[in-house]
């Protein structure tokens, strides 16, 4: 078995593109945008920052958050 180096940035771009396409297809079929939800328990600043970053990512992909 040989090792393979992955290009994380290129992979992220490809995944974001695929998610965007699927979100657009979903919105076209359902008549409303797909959404992602996060449930936070407590107010740990690290968790809030993580959820905020997931919200920005979702919005860039055309998803509601």
């Amino acid at each position: 078995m040989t090792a393979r180096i992955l290009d994380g940035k290129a992979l992220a771009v490809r995944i974001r593109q695929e998610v965007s396409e699927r979100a657009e297809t979903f919105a076209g079929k359902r008549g409303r945008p797909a959404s992602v939800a996060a449930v936070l328990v407590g107010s740990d600043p690290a968790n809030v920052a993580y959820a905020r970053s997931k919200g920005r990512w979702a919005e860039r992909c055309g998803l509601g958050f």
Side-chain angles (χ1 to χ4, degrees):
M1 179 184 253
T2 59
R4 194 169 101 184
I5 297 174
L6 298 176
D7 182 352
K9 288 185 180 187
L11 181 59
V13 168
R14 195 169 81 221
I15 290 170
R16 189 176 298 128
Q17 180 64 33
E18 183 178 331
V19 170
S20 295
E21 290 170 3
R22 288 182 177 204
E24 189 175 319
T25 300
F26 180 89
K29 288 180 180 180
R30 306 279 189 214
R32 58 184 164 80
S35 295
V36 176
V39 177
L40 295 175
V41 177
S43 60
D44 179 17
N47 291 341
V48 173
Y50 179 80
R52 192 178 310 121
S53 73
K54 295 299 122 186
R56 285 192 301 266
W57 190 88
E59 289 172 359
R60 280 192 293 250
C61 291
L63 298 167
F65 183 76

